[in-house]
Amino acid sequence: MNDVRKLRIATTSLAGCFGCHMSLLDIDERLFTLLELVEFDRTPLTDIKRCGACDIGLIEGGVCNAENVHVLREFRKNCKILVAVGACAVNGGLPAQRNHLDLRDILEAVYETEGGLARGAHIPNDPELPLPLNQVHPIHEVVKVDYFLPGCPPSGDAIWKFLSDLIAGRTPTLGHDLLHYD
Amino acid sequence: MSEETTFFLDGEPIPFTAGQTILQAAHAAGRYIPHLCWHPDYKPHGSCRLCTVSIGGRSVPACATQASEGLEVANRTPELDDARRMLLQMLFVEGNHFCPSCEKSGQCLLQATAYELGMMGPHFDHFYPNRPVDASHPDVLLDFNRCILCSLCEQASARDGKFVFVMGGRGMRGRKVIINSASGRLADTDFALTDRAANVCPVGVILKKRVGFSVPYGQRRYDRAPVSVAQAQEASRE
């Protein structure tokens, strides 16, 4: 009888493109092996909305608005091990390339001056919309991060190697073939 | 006598000739000492300190320390590689090194060295500097947001006899490469794609236009082999 408790994993995307989650699916049939070892808490795969007590939290995307900060802090509070997955979580990635621009100028350009917008379009100001931050930040600038898994996205093989090491209690290592920042 | 012209790098004998630095001799022998601002064709600059090695417990730059007979040099120790990794992390956060959108990715010495040393994350807070790009030249784009201040462009341009690039300013945020023209624009110099300086930048500051991403992912220089292997192979062909 296998009475070993499965590790509990949560995942989320902050200011990212979900490419890292797509790459997680690229581990293909090894997902079945993974599911023998872990169960998923909050993740797009389960559609659970709030993160509970977990062993590992995988976060893709950087921090670009107030909701990102809230979700990130919730993950940090509930996850024993927090992993920054992908370029955006590691260094801000492509979203952070707006960091040298003025936020209002960007919003005006997108919502008010671009062609093709409806007449009278304006910058959204619904109170339910999270407020954007002046700059996009990698997650380690907001909370303590235990491990970094770079890549845009990290390949399925890199994610598999990383998780295999982590679940087995080893310090994750990738080596030349799997370590890429792009 | 051969004993008089050999030093030891991590216990391995390295032959050298009088006047050679540790890094010069190691490179010629196909042994890799991590480095960024050193180039075999130019004088050592000693600014990046990636090539720091240990001799008798004392840390010295391998690029600017002459080899001597019987010297015992420690190179790839966990302690030295830890220090190198920290230097790399500082260089990454002091610039805007967004590898996924950089044309130099896969051919970049900074990136390849970080792979070599297993740098997984930046550790420090990012500066996100805002340095203007110069797209004025018809054939070359300059993106100073990636500059690591190695000075190789300055040295190469001096060798070209054009003195297009010069190091100027002071301090961490003030130090920068300046374009030597009245307007400060590259277009107003006699810089050409055939210049040595056009091909010397180890990172993605000096980029040739209309060739970006021409080599597919997976086939670029440091995709094919780690920098330590690639440089050893190149040295054996020289």
Side-chain angles (χ1 to χ4, degrees):
Chain A
M1 192 176 86
N2 184 5
D3 58 356
V4 176
R5 182 181 74 83
K6 286 185 174 181
L7 293 175
R8 200 161 178 83
I9 291 183
T11 79
T12 194
S13 177
L14 305 178
C17 69
F18 268 98
C20 296
H21 276 85
M22 295 298 105
S23 215
L24 173 64
L25 298 180
D26 280 345
I27 69 175
D28 295 331
E29 68 271 16
R30 289 169 294 191
L31 274 170
F32 293 109
T33 309
L34 182 64
L35 286 172
E36 291 174 6
L37 304 170
V38 307
E39 56 188 354
F40 283 100
D41 188 86
R42 173 181 171 157
T43 165
L45 306 175
T46 60
D47 207 25
I48 297 172
K49 305 298 184 191
R50 300 292 301 273
C51 176
C54 289
D55 298 289
I56 301 170
L58 304 176
I59 299 192
E60 75 159 278
V63 183
C64 83
N65 63 35
E67 191 215 9
N68 294 157
V69 176
H70 174 80
V71 171
L72 179 56
R73 286 183 172 155
E74 181 186 58
F75 262 66
R76 178 66 280 179
K77 187 178 168 187
N78 285 291
C79 298
K80 293 176 186 167
I81 295 172
L82 194 68
V83 185
V85 181
C88 303
V90 171
N91 69 3
L94 301 190
Q97 293 192 38
R98 75 158 163 90
N99 281 355
H100 65 281
L101 302 171
D102 179 79
L103 182 59
R104 172 158 286 278
D105 289 345
I106 297 171
L107 292 170
E108 286 176 354
V110 169
Y111 290 104
E112 295 180 354
T113 62
E114 282 297 306
L117 291 177
R119 186 181 297 276
H122 58 82
I123 298 169
N125 62 355
D126 191 297
E128 288 201 0
L129 291 175
L131 288 172
L133 306 180
N134 280 340
Q135 288 195 322
V136 179
H137 295 272
I139 66 172
H140 74 274
E141 292 184 12
V142 180
V143 298
K144 177 183 180 294
V145 170
D146 299 295
Y147 293 101
F148 296 87
L149 174 53
C152 186
S155 66
D157 287 342
I159 293 175
W160 175 248
K161 173 68 165 61
F162 188 93
L163 285 179
S164 300
D165 283 349
L166 199 56
I167 290 168
R170 298 185 295 265
T171 300
T173 56
L174 293 180
H176 176 263
D177 289 343
L178 296 179
L179 180 55
H180 287 278
Y181 298 161
D182 56 359
Chain B
M1 292 171 62
S2 61
E3 293 84 1
E4 294 174 351
T5 57
T6 299
F7 71 93
F8 297 90
L9 187 70
D10 290 335
E12 296 289 323
I14 305 291
F16 69 96
T17 55
Q20 271 189 318
T21 65
I22 291 169
L23 185 44
Q24 274 180 317
H27 180 76
R31 295 297 304 273
Y32 175 70
I33 298 175
H35 60 267
L36 292 173
C37 71
W38 180 80
H39 187 289
D41 294 346
Y42 304 108
K43 285 192 302 184
H45 192 241
S47 60
C48 77
R49 298 285 155 166
L50 257 290
C51 71
T52 297
V53 293
S54 181
I55 300 172
R58 194 163 63 93
S59 297
V60 296
C63 71
T65 303
Q66 290 218 340
S68 64
E69 191 267 323
L71 211 56
E72 297 275 358
V73 181
N75 175 30
R76 298 303 301 272
T77 67
E79 294 78 12
L80 286 167
D81 278 356
D82 279 348
R84 290 169 176 143
R85 206 173 296 114
M86 187 183 293
L87 291 171
L88 284 166
Q89 287 169 325
M90 289 192 279
L91 285 168
F92 267 86
V93 301
E94 285 177 10
N96 287 326
H97 298 282
F98 297 115
C99 296
S101 61
C102 179
E103 294 179 17
K104 190 83 176 205
S105 186
Q107 335 242 27
C108 168
L109 189 57
L110 177 68
Q111 182 194 60
T113 307
Y115 292 162
E116 177 77 29
L117 292 164
M119 193 192 101
M120 301 287 275
H123 182 77
F124 300 105
D125 285 3
H126 285 258
F127 281 23
Y128 294 125
N130 180 16
R131 304 178 193 136
V133 299
D134 181 346
S136 63
H137 194 280
D139 297 322
V140 171
L141 167 72
L142 300 177
D143 186 346
F144 295 109
N145 291 289
R146 300 166 182 149
C147 186
I148 58 170
L149 304 175
C150 68
S151 90
L152 286 172
C153 58
E154 181 184 41
Q155 292 203 61
S157 194
R159 193 77 65 87
D160 291 326
K162 294 186 174 179
F163 303 95
V164 171
F165 304 99
V166 289
M167 303 293 297
R170 287 180 181 276
M172 189 166 58
R173 291 179 191 268
R175 189 81 173 150
K176 61 181 179 180
V177 172
I178 295 168
I179 306 303
N180 187 16
S181 68
S183 66
R185 300 187 334 145
L186 190 65
D188 298 323
T189 69
D190 56 354
F191 186 72
L193 271 182
T194 50
D195 291 356
R196 288 182 181 87
N199 299 291
V200 77
C201 180
V203 292
V205 177
I206 304 175
L207 293 171
K208 297 175 185 176
K209 291 182 177 176
R210 297 176 292 280
V211 296
F213 305 106
S214 58
V215 180
Y217 177 89
Q219 297 176 26
R220 296 165 308 194
R221 184 181 185 193
Y222 298 121
D223 292 338
R224 296 194 301 270
V227 60
S228 56
V229 175
Q231 293 204 350
Q233 290 169 344
E234 287 159 13
S236 68
R237 289 194 292 268
E238 286 170 2

mmCIF file of all heavy atoms in Angstrom, chain B residues 16-17 22 29 46 62 68 110 123-124 142 148 157 165 175 178 186-187 189 193 209 232:
data_model
loop_
_atom_site.group_PDB
_atom_site.id
_atom_site.type_symbol
_atom_site.label_atom_id
_atom_site.label_comp_id
_atom_site.label_asym_id
_atom_site.label_seq_id
_atom_site.Cartn_x
_atom_site.Cartn_y
_atom_site.Cartn_z
ATOM 1 N N PHE B 16 53.884 28.358 -20.955
ATOM 2 C CA PHE B 16 53.746 29.784 -21.261
ATOM 3 C C PHE B 16 55.087 30.332 -21.738
ATOM 4 O O PHE B 16 56.131 29.706 -21.535
ATOM 5 C CB PHE B 16 53.259 30.566 -20.034
ATOM 6 C CG PHE B 16 54.262 30.662 -18.923
ATOM 7 C CD1 PHE B 16 55.087 31.778 -18.797
ATOM 8 C CD2 PHE B 16 54.395 29.638 -17.992
ATOM 9 C CE1 PHE B 16 56.012 31.875 -17.773
ATOM 10 C CE2 PHE B 16 55.322 29.724 -16.969
ATOM 11 C CZ PHE B 16 56.130 30.844 -16.858
ATOM 12 N N THR B 17 55.029 31.475 -22.389
ATOM 13 C CA THR B 17 56.247 32.159 -22.792
ATOM 14 C C THR B 17 56.386 33.427 -21.960
ATOM 15 O O THR B 17 55.398 33.941 -21.433
ATOM 16 C CB THR B 17 56.218 32.527 -24.285
ATOM 17 O OG1 THR B 17 55.041 33.298 -24.537
ATOM 18 C CG2 THR B 17 56.179 31.277 -25.154
ATOM 19 N N ILE B 22 48.479 34.885 -17.154
ATOM 20 C CA ILE B 22 47.878 33.582 -16.850
ATOM 21 C C ILE B 22 46.744 33.287 -17.826
ATOM 22 O O ILE B 22 46.620 32.178 -18.344
ATOM 23 C CB ILE B 22 47.368 33.579 -15.387
ATOM 24 C CG1 ILE B 22 48.557 33.611 -14.420
ATOM 25 C CG2 ILE B 22 46.479 32.373 -15.116
ATOM 26 C CD1 ILE B 22 48.161 33.872 -12.974
ATOM 27 N N ALA B 29 46.348 27.421 -24.331
ATOM 28 C CA ALA B 29 46.437 25.983 -24.055
ATOM 29 C C ALA B 29 45.060 25.319 -24.080
ATOM 30 O O ALA B 29 44.934 24.124 -23.795
ATOM 31 C CB ALA B 29 47.099 25.764 -22.692
ATOM 32 N N GLY B 46 40.926 44.488 -17.135
ATOM 33 C CA GLY B 46 40.819 44.182 -15.703
ATOM 34 C C GLY B 46 39.601 44.753 -15.030
ATOM 35 O O GLY B 46 39.597 44.982 -13.825
ATOM 36 N N ALA B 62 43.346 37.071 -13.618
ATOM 37 C CA ALA B 62 44.209 36.256 -14.480
ATOM 38 C C ALA B 62 44.613 37.004 -15.741
ATOM 39 O O ALA B 62 45.658 36.728 -16.328
ATOM 40 C CB ALA B 62 43.498 34.958 -14.848
ATOM 41 N N SER B 68 54.210 32.806 -14.078
ATOM 42 C CA SER B 68 55.599 32.570 -13.699
ATOM 43 C C SER B 68 55.795 31.101 -13.376
ATOM 44 O O SER B 68 54.841 30.390 -13.074
ATOM 45 C CB SER B 68 56.006 33.460 -12.519
ATOM 46 O OG SER B 68 55.262 33.132 -11.377
ATOM 47 N N LEU B 110 28.159 37.252 -22.183
ATOM 48 C CA LEU B 110 27.605 37.412 -20.828
ATOM 49 C C LEU B 110 26.624 36.274 -20.524
ATOM 50 O O LEU B 110 26.700 35.619 -19.478
ATOM 51 C CB LEU B 110 26.897 38.764 -20.708
ATOM 52 C CG LEU B 110 26.216 39.047 -19.369
ATOM 53 C CD1 LEU B 110 27.235 39.217 -18.257
ATOM 54 C CD2 LEU B 110 25.318 40.279 -19.458
ATOM 55 N N HIS B 123 19.079 37.386 -8.304
ATOM 56 C CA HIS B 123 19.312 37.595 -6.876
ATOM 57 C C HIS B 123 19.084 39.037 -6.415
ATOM 58 O O HIS B 123 18.393 39.277 -5.460
ATOM 59 C CB HIS B 123 20.726 37.159 -6.472
ATOM 60 C CG HIS B 123 20.999 37.317 -5.008
ATOM 61 N ND1 HIS B 123 20.510 36.426 -4.067
ATOM 62 C CD2 HIS B 123 21.646 38.277 -4.303
ATOM 63 C CE1 HIS B 123 20.863 36.836 -2.866
ATOM 64 N NE2 HIS B 123 21.550 37.948 -2.969
ATOM 65 N N PHE B 124 19.669 40.007 -7.121
ATOM 66 C CA PHE B 124 19.573 41.409 -6.691
ATOM 67 C C PHE B 124 18.362 42.104 -7.325
ATOM 68 O O PHE B 124 17.788 41.615 -8.299
ATOM 69 C CB PHE B 124 20.840 42.175 -7.076
ATOM 70 C CG PHE B 124 22.089 41.604 -6.458
ATOM 71 C CD1 PHE B 124 22.980 40.859 -7.210
ATOM 72 C CD2 PHE B 124 22.361 41.793 -5.109
ATOM 73 C CE1 PHE B 124 24.130 40.316 -6.637
ATOM 74 C CE2 PHE B 124 23.498 41.266 -4.526
ATOM 75 C CZ PHE B 124 24.378 40.521 -5.293
ATOM 76 N N LEU B 142 22.972 50.721 -31.927
ATOM 77 C CA LEU B 142 23.641 50.692 -30.626
ATOM 78 C C LEU B 142 22.591 50.708 -29.515
ATOM 79 O O LEU B 142 21.783 51.631 -29.441
ATOM 80 C CB LEU B 142 24.559 51.910 -30.462
ATOM 81 C CG LEU B 142 25.682 52.078 -31.486
ATOM 82 C CD1 LEU B 142 26.445 53.374 -31.206
ATOM 83 C CD2 LEU B 142 26.632 50.890 -31.453
ATOM 84 N N ILE B 148 28.227 46.423 -20.726
ATOM 85 C CA ILE B 148 28.864 45.989 -19.477
ATOM 86 C C ILE B 148 30.191 46.717 -19.258
ATOM 87 O O ILE B 148 30.985 46.324 -18.409
ATOM 88 C CB ILE B 148 29.078 44.465 -19.452
ATOM 89 C CG1 ILE B 148 29.931 43.995 -20.639
ATOM 90 C CG2 ILE B 148 27.727 43.738 -19.447
ATOM 91 C CD1 ILE B 148 30.376 42.541 -20.543
ATOM 92 N N SER B 157 38.330 50.103 -31.750
ATOM 93 C CA SER B 157 38.204 51.275 -32.608
ATOM 94 C C SER B 157 39.513 52.052 -32.668
ATOM 95 O O SER B 157 39.855 52.636 -33.710
ATOM 96 C CB SER B 157 37.068 52.166 -32.102
ATOM 97 O OG SER B 157 36.727 53.118 -33.083
ATOM 98 N N PHE B 165 34.589 54.989 -30.384
ATOM 99 C CA PHE B 165 34.028 54.770 -29.048
ATOM 100 C C PHE B 165 35.052 55.174 -27.989
ATOM 101 O O PHE B 165 36.221 54.786 -28.077
ATOM 102 C CB PHE B 165 33.675 53.295 -28.852
ATOM 103 C CG PHE B 165 32.735 52.762 -29.883
ATOM 104 C CD1 PHE B 165 33.208 52.033 -30.976
ATOM 105 C CD2 PHE B 165 31.366 52.976 -29.773
ATOM 106 C CE1 PHE B 165 32.335 51.530 -31.929
ATOM 107 C CE2 PHE B 165 30.490 52.481 -30.726
ATOM 108 C CZ PHE B 165 30.975 51.765 -31.811
ATOM 109 N N ARG B 175 29.309 56.240 -15.661
ATOM 110 C CA ARG B 175 30.260 55.665 -16.596
ATOM 111 C C ARG B 175 29.539 55.135 -17.831
ATOM 112 O O ARG B 175 28.542 54.418 -17.718
ATOM 113 C CB ARG B 175 30.994 54.519 -15.900
ATOM 114 C CG ARG B 175 32.166 53.963 -16.674
ATOM 115 C CD ARG B 175 33.379 54.813 -16.486
ATOM 116 N NE ARG B 175 34.573 54.222 -17.084
ATOM 117 C CZ ARG B 175 35.571 54.951 -17.553
ATOM 118 N NH1 ARG B 175 35.528 56.265 -17.483
ATOM 119 N NH2 ARG B 175 36.633 54.374 -18.054
ATOM 120 N N ILE B 178 30.873 56.692 -24.957
ATOM 121 C CA ILE B 178 30.465 57.906 -25.666
ATOM 122 C C ILE B 178 30.887 57.786 -27.129
ATOM 123 O O ILE B 178 31.968 57.266 -27.437
ATOM 124 C CB ILE B 178 31.132 59.147 -25.011
ATOM 125 C CG1 ILE B 178 30.599 59.324 -23.590
ATOM 126 C CG2 ILE B 178 30.893 60.393 -25.848
ATOM 127 C CD1 ILE B 178 31.388 60.316 -22.768
ATOM 128 N N LEU B 186 26.256 57.947 -33.933
ATOM 129 C CA LEU B 186 27.140 57.064 -34.691
ATOM 130 C C LEU B 186 27.148 57.416 -36.172
ATOM 131 O O LEU B 186 28.165 57.261 -36.857
ATOM 132 C CB LEU B 186 26.714 55.596 -34.497
ATOM 133 C CG LEU B 186 27.681 54.544 -35.019
ATOM 134 C CD1 LEU B 186 28.994 54.578 -34.237
ATOM 135 C CD2 LEU B 186 27.070 53.145 -34.955
ATOM 136 N N ALA B 187 26.016 57.908 -36.658
ATOM 137 C CA ALA B 187 25.918 58.241 -38.086
ATOM 138 C C ALA B 187 26.902 59.334 -38.477
ATOM 139 O O ALA B 187 27.278 59.445 -39.650
ATOM 140 C CB ALA B 187 24.495 58.683 -38.415
ATOM 141 N N THR B 189 29.985 59.587 -37.565
ATOM 142 C CA THR B 189 31.364 59.110 -37.524
ATOM 143 C C THR B 189 31.643 58.364 -38.826
ATOM 144 O O THR B 189 30.732 58.171 -39.653
ATOM 145 C CB THR B 189 31.585 58.137 -36.345
ATOM 146 O OG1 THR B 189 30.860 56.921 -36.615
ATOM 147 C CG2 THR B 189 31.081 58.727 -35.040
ATOM 148 N N LEU B 193 30.890 48.708 -41.083
ATOM 149 C CA LEU B 193 30.682 47.310 -40.691
ATOM 150 C C LEU B 193 31.954 46.484 -40.764
ATOM 151 O O LEU B 193 32.065 45.453 -40.111
ATOM 152 C CB LEU B 193 29.633 46.670 -41.610
ATOM 153 C CG LEU B 193 28.170 46.771 -41.190
ATOM 154 C CD1 LEU B 193 27.282 46.037 -42.180
ATOM 155 C CD2 LEU B 193 27.978 46.207 -39.795
ATOM 156 N N LYS B 209 22.423 45.716 -38.431
ATOM 157 C CA LYS B 209 21.018 45.752 -38.853
ATOM 158 C C LYS B 209 20.738 44.704 -39.935
ATOM 159 O O LYS B 209 21.616 44.304 -40.668
ATOM 160 C CB LYS B 209 20.671 47.148 -39.385
ATOM 161 C CG LYS B 209 20.658 48.225 -38.303
ATOM 162 C CD LYS B 209 20.253 49.581 -38.885
ATOM 163 C CE LYS B 209 20.173 50.636 -37.788
ATOM 164 N NZ LYS B 209 19.868 51.985 -38.333
ATOM 165 N N ALA B 232 37.761 26.609 -26.110
ATOM 166 C CA ALA B 232 38.880 25.661 -26.204
ATOM 167 C C ALA B 232 39.031 25.184 -27.641
ATOM 168 O O ALA B 232 40.154 25.067 -28.159
ATOM 169 C CB ALA B 232 38.638 24.486 -25.266
#
